[in-house]
Structure formats: structure tokens, C-alpha cells
Amino acid sequence: MPVPTRRALAAVAAACLTVAALAGCGGSAKSSAPRNVPPSSLSQDGMDMNGMNGMDGMNMNGSGDDMPGMGQPSGPKIAAATPADNGLHAGLGGYSYVADTAMLPAASAAPFTFHITGPSGKTVTRFQPYEAQLLVFYIVRSDLADFHQLTATMREDGTWTVPMPALAAGSYRTYVTFAAPDSSAGTPLSYSLSQPLTVSGNATAAPLPAGNDTVTADGYTLHLTGSPRHGTDTDLGVTVTKNGQPVKQFDRILDGYAHLTAFHSGDAAFVRALSTGRSAGGPSGAGALTAKILFPQSGTWRLFVQFDTAGAEHTAAFTVDVP
């Protein structure tokens, strides 16, 4: 074979290999690192496990490709550091949540900063990717009338900053959930820690709405199913309709198609539900958003359901009585 012909064939082969490699990697150099954090904050081996999340639903960036039954998160298995934990402590298992202030001004947006210290007493700067982020931040008012799940960003020194919205006066509690390798076994464990926060000014408590299984939010109607009991896993379902028609497409929010968070009336004990995807939808294709939750105690809980559809995030709230 003439030399020019061999060179041409080699060039074609190299081009094909390059195309194949790009196809195998998604054809993009976009980083899959968790949002808003420096590269050094990844887990100890530097691997971003979050890059594997969502592949079963094939919806990595809110594309709405959410076939029923295919939305279950597929990230690394992470166990709770303390089963049936209520989140009402600033430290657990050697990790502590340290807020830089215990008071904020009312009706004024302000940054809120904090850090996490580890078993060595030093500020933690490396976390196990968890729920499509390295840390999830919540704030709720003591009467459970106001709730926000906010995005925190971390600097290289381990200082986290949250852009707190303007809040009404009153007593609040802030919560962080994150995961870290267990020092004894290397198994990733999740932690839920909290700190009280006061927003200055005269506060008026709002009564908790009565128990309900159907609520509306932003023009959507949500119906909650399930029979919760404290101390045992409960399967929950949430169907969403708009103008009487079932909503069939949802974008991913954190590590699922719905993010459920509950707070206990009276002490604001915390529990987060694990999104398990969507149930089979039948002919309508309108399967319920599903989750599994473990209420650590009986009583009245306020359950906040976050979902994302049509490019916008929505939050609805149910009052749930747990025997």
C-alpha cells in the first residue's frame, strides 16, 4: 500500500477513535462536580460520585426526561450516622456545625456564614458528595410557617456562605446535612446538625394549618398518600396536577424528582425523606412522586415538598399527624 494511502487511513482511524471517546464521555468537557464548591472539597479520593447520580433517569440537568419508574437516585450508598435522628444537636460523631452568628436583622437579606469541624477539631474542607451537593442547608421558623432550602457555597478554607433572604422577625432554626467518610470503617455517613437563629424584632406566631392530604401551591394541586407511623419507614406518594390534568414531566431537584423535608411541631425536630423516584403511571403516565421517610417521633409534623417542573421550583406544605 502506498505511504500516502496508509497515512490517510491512519488519520481517519484516529479521528474515529476521538469521536468514539467523546461519545462515550457524553461529548462534553463540562465538569460533573457538585455545584458551587472548590475542587478540593471533593471526597478523599478526589472522585465526584455525584457525576453518577441520575443516570438511571437520564436527566442530569433538568431536561425533563423522566419516564415513570426511572427516577430513583443511583448515587453511592450512604448510611445515616444515627438512625431515626431528629437533627436537634449541633454536634454528632465528632462533627460540629458552628455558626458565625446567632442573630440576623429582620426584613433584610444578609449573608449567613458557618463552618463544620471534624473529629480532629479542625475545619472540614473535604466532603463526600451527597444529594447532588456537598452540603444542603435549610432554615425553618419555630412556628413552621416559613421554610427555605438554600444553596450554600464553600471557600477553600471551609467557610460556607448562604445568601439568606429577608426574614420576618422570630425564632428560627438552621440545619445542615452532609456526608463524610467514617473514620473507623471508611463508609460514608450522613449527618444532620442544627443551630438556633433569632431574627430581631417583634414576632407574631402563626397557627399551624390543620392536617390535610391535598394542598395547592403556585397553581398546582398536590395529593399526599401513605400511612406514616413513628419509628418505622413509611412509603409516601405525591401526585401533582394542574388545571385538573396530571403533571407528567418533572426536572430533577437535588438527587430526585421530589425533595421532602419534615419538621416536628413544638421542637422543630428534623427528618428528610429519601426520594425513590416515581411509581408506575398506568395509561395516563402520571405516576406519583415517591419517597421513603422515617419519622423519629409521634405528633404533628409539617411536611414540605419541593418539586421542579417547567423550569421553575415550587414548594408545597402538608400538616401530617403521625401516631
Side-chain angles (χ1 to χ4, degrees):
M1 182 181 298
V3 172
T5 303
R6 288 201 301 270
R7 289 177 177 172
L9 290 174
V12 171
C16 291
L17 287 173
T18 300
V19 171
L22 287 174
C25 296
S28 172
K30 182 178 179 180
S31 172
S32 60
R35 295 182 296 168
N36 304 324
V37 291
S40 62
S41 59
L42 298 178
S43 57
Q44 292 295 326
D45 59 4
M47 180 180 294
D48 174 15
M49 299 302 293
N50 173 60
M52 300 179 184
N53 291 349
M55 291 188 68
D56 53 347
M58 300 304 291
N59 182 355
M60 301 294 287
N61 294 295
S63 66
D65 183 7
D66 59 343
M67 294 174 64
M70 294 186 67
Q72 186 171 349
S74 59
K77 299 298 182 182
I78 297 176
T82 302
D85 185 21
N86 64 12
L88 294 179
H89 32 240
L92 181 68
Y95 291 89
S96 295
Y97 165 35
V98 184
D100 291 338
T101 183
M103 180 171 290
L104 289 177
S108 177
F112 177 81
T113 59
F114 63 92
H115 61 277
I116 306 297
T117 59
S120 67
K122 297 180 180 179
T123 297
V124 179
T125 59
R126 299 170 71 85
F127 294 82
Q128 174 75 33
Y130 177 60
E131 292 192 304
Q133 297 188 32
L134 295 186
L135 178 145
V136 186
F137 181 92
Y138 309 89
I139 180 170
V140 69
R141 209 168 98 150
S142 58
D143 59 5
L144 310 185
D146 194 15
F147 162 81
H148 301 273
Q149 182 263 308
L150 302 169
T151 298
T153 58
M154 191 184 76
R155 297 200 300 260
E156 294 284 351
D157 66 356
T159 298
W160 291 88
T161 302
V162 178
M164 202 74 79
L167 300 169
S171 298
Y172 291 77
R173 199 167 188 90
T174 61
Y175 304 77
V176 295
T177 62
F178 61 92
D182 178 31
S183 59
S184 62
T187 302
L189 298 177
S190 64
Y191 299 84
S192 297
L193 308 177
S194 67
Q195 288 277 15
L197 178 71
T198 299
V199 177
S200 60
N202 296 322
T204 301
L208 194 67
N212 51 0
D213 59 11
T214 301
V215 298
T216 59
D218 303 332
Y220 293 88
T221 298
L222 290 80
H223 180 70
L224 178 69
T225 60
S227 300
R229 298 186 66 85
H230 82 278
T232 185
D233 283 333
T234 297
D235 291 316
L236 298 178
V238 180
T239 57
V240 184
T241 60
K242 187 173 186 180
N243 299 324
Q245 299 299 314
V247 176
K248 299 181 181 181
Q249 282 196 314
F250 296 89
D251 297 332
R252 295 189 77 86
I253 178 170
L254 295 180
D255 198 22
Y257 288 131
H259 189 71
L260 282 67
T261 315
F263 300 90
H264 187 252
S265 178
D267 59 5
F270 165 91
V271 64
R272 182 192 65 82
L274 171 66
S275 174
T276 53
R278 297 185 65 187
S279 62
S284 69
L289 303 173
T290 58
K292 188 179 293 291
I293 192 168
L294 174 60
F295 291 100
Q297 61 195 92
S298 60
T300 301
W301 292 76
R302 192 70 168 157
L303 177 68
F304 295 91
V305 179
Q306 297 168 267
F307 64 99
D308 195 315
T309 186
E313 185 177 312
H314 309 279
T315 301
F318 297 88
T319 298
V320 180
D321 293 317
V322 178

